[in-house]
């Protein structure tokens, strides 16, 4: 095809614009693998890019979307051949490299991960960057030495994409999961994922003391700011918090007290430039440790022409779980 459908973001006089357009294949960026995109997904970062709320996009015009799953159409990379099923996420897609909300993508083959056996392309995008980030957080906590016997773990932004997958995986591994949410109506949903307790996010969103009562051995935080500071202050001796998001802000109004008095560790999680071997490990674990039935329960599907509206909703906290985007 000479052209294909894509959501293009352009620089405007004030901010940016996003529109579904016909994109010329000749304008795809350099790469040694061309993929026929079949599924994508909607993440918080996608919402920021689509709405122009944050300067996520650093090249114009840009095809939005940081995740895709599909089939290799052509390749000059020795690791990939036509017909291979692949997952692509991060590496600047949708930011500095033309992204995933399109019927075609051209990328470096070194960015791609093979679709795990038994996992469909749709399921891979039901997991998406949010779920893959959640698993990177779990792996970091495990590498720190955290075990279910050490005590409860807390998950913030619990009804969101990262939070939903983190709860499902951690409960499957045997952890007692405390879910923090601002949506009391989601209690049934969160307990269905495996959360043992639900707490109101207001317990964590107000400025707190440098050290608080020890409440959890570890946690996964996608909120940042005061919430993360309070998580650290309430973490048990030699516990750890994996920080992977900034929905509440980029600041961290904390102190050194949790680190030097309780030996608490703050584990930074980066999904964008994560080394390929760790990516492979995360996707292999997701194929094993994420209950397929729970994944199906938290997933909704939209079409490519619904993505722009959905981007605003995810920022407004009106989307729970995971949203897959049918491209083909």
């Amino acid at each position: 095809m000479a052209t294909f459908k894509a959501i293009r973001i352009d620089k405007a006089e004030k901010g940016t614009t996003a529109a579904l357009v016909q994109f010329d294949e000749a304008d795809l960026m350099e790469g040694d693998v061309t993929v026929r995109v079949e599924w994508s997904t909607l993440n918080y970062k996608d919402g920021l890019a689509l709405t122009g709320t944050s300067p996520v996009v650093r090249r114009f015009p840009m095809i939005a979307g940081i995740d895709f799953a599909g089939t290799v159409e052509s390749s000059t990379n020795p690791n990939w051949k036509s017909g291979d099923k692949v997952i692509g996420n991060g590496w600047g897609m949708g930011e500095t490299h033309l992204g995933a909300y399109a019927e075609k993508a051209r990328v470096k083959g070194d960015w791609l991960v093979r679709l795990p056996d038994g996992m469909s392309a749709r399921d891979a995008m039901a997991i998406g960057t949010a779920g893959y980030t959640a698993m990177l957080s779990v792996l970091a906590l495990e590498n720190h030495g955290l075990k279910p016997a050490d005590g409860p773990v807390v998950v913030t932004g619990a009804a969101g994409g990262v939070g939903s997958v983190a709860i499902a995986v951690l409960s499957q591994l045997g952890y007692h999961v405390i879910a923090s949410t601002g949506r009391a109506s989601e209690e049934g949903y969160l307990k269905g994922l495996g959360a043992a307790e639900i707490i109101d996010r207001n317990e964590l969103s107000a400025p707190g003391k440098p050290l608080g009562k020890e409440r959890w051995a570890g946690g996964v935080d996608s909120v940042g700011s005061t919430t993360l500071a309070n998580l650290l202050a309430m973490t048990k001796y030699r516990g750890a918090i994996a920080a992977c998001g900034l929905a509440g802000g980029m600041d961290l109004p904390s102190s050194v007290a949790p680190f030097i008095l309780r030996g608490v560790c703050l584990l930074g999680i980066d999904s964008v430039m994560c080394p390929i071997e760790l990516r492979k490990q995360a996707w292999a674990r997701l194929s094993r440790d994420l209950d397929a039935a729970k994944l199906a329960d938290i997933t909704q599907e939209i079409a490519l022409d619904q993505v722009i509206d959905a981007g605003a909703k995810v920022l407004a906290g009106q989307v729970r779980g995971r949203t897959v985007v049918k491209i083909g």
Side-chain angles (χ1 to χ4, degrees), residues 21-216:
V21 302
Q22 288 292 323
F23 197 89
D24 194 323
E25 186 172 347
D27 291 331
L28 284 173
M29 296 172 70
E30 289 186 5
D32 51 11
V33 179
T34 301
V35 178
R36 185 171 67 254
V37 180
E38 295 157 5
W39 294 92
S40 186
T41 185
L42 183 66
N43 299 288
Y44 190 84
K45 183 183 281 187
D46 294 316
L48 293 173
L50 290 163
T51 60
T53 304
S54 180
V56 170
V57 178
R58 297 190 293 278
R59 176 197 185 276
F60 297 95
M62 174 57 62
I63 295 177
I66 64 173
D67 289 272
F68 67 71
T71 303
V72 173
E73 187 173 87
S74 62
S75 171
T76 58
N77 185 296
N79 294 320
W80 304 106
K81 64 182 186 304
S82 177
D84 285 343
K85 301 291 186 180
V86 294
I87 300 168
N89 61 313
W91 301 114
M93 289 193 300
E95 301 177 68
T96 57
H97 191 94
L98 297 178
Y101 293 150
E103 293 176 305
K104 282 195 179 186
R106 184 173 296 140
V107 298
K108 295 180 180 180
D110 293 344
W111 294 357
L112 299 172
V113 174
R114 196 172 302 278
L115 186 70
D117 291 341
M119 183 184 290
S120 70
R122 186 185 188 279
D123 286 346
M125 289 299 95
I127 295 168
T129 285
Y132 149 71
T133 302
M135 180 54 79
L136 289 177
S137 301
V138 172
L139 290 172
L141 291 171
E142 289 179 345
N143 288 337
H144 177 75
L146 190 69
K147 303 178 295 298
D150 294 330
V153 291
V154 63
V155 175
T156 63
V162 173
S164 295
V165 176
I167 292 169
V169 170
L170 288 165
S171 64
Q172 182 79 4
L173 293 173
Y175 288 90
H176 179 102
V177 181
I178 301 171
S180 167
T181 182
R183 293 180 265 177
S185 60
E186 301 290 12
E187 180 173 349
Y189 166 79
L190 296 172
K191 288 191 172 179
L193 288 176
E197 297 179 50
I198 312 296
I199 61 173
D200 193 298
R201 70 181 177 197
N202 289 332
E203 291 187 34
L204 303 172
S205 60
K209 299 177 180 179
L211 285 177
K213 180 181 178 181
E214 296 180 51
R215 297 178 64 177
W216 33 72

Side-chain angles (χ1 to χ4, degrees), residues 150-152 214-218 234-240 262-264:
D150 294 330
E214 296 180 51
R215 297 178 64 177
W216 33 72
M234 300 180 198
T235 298
K236 293 183 177 183
Y237 185 74
R238 297 190 66 80
R262 288 185 182 160
V264 170

Side-chain angles (χ1 to χ4, degrees), residues 222-241:
S222 60
V223 179
S225 191
T226 305
T227 295
L228 177 55
N230 284 321
L231 290 190
L232 293 166
M234 300 180 198
T235 298
K236 293 183 177 183
Y237 185 74
R238 297 190 66 80
I241 301 294

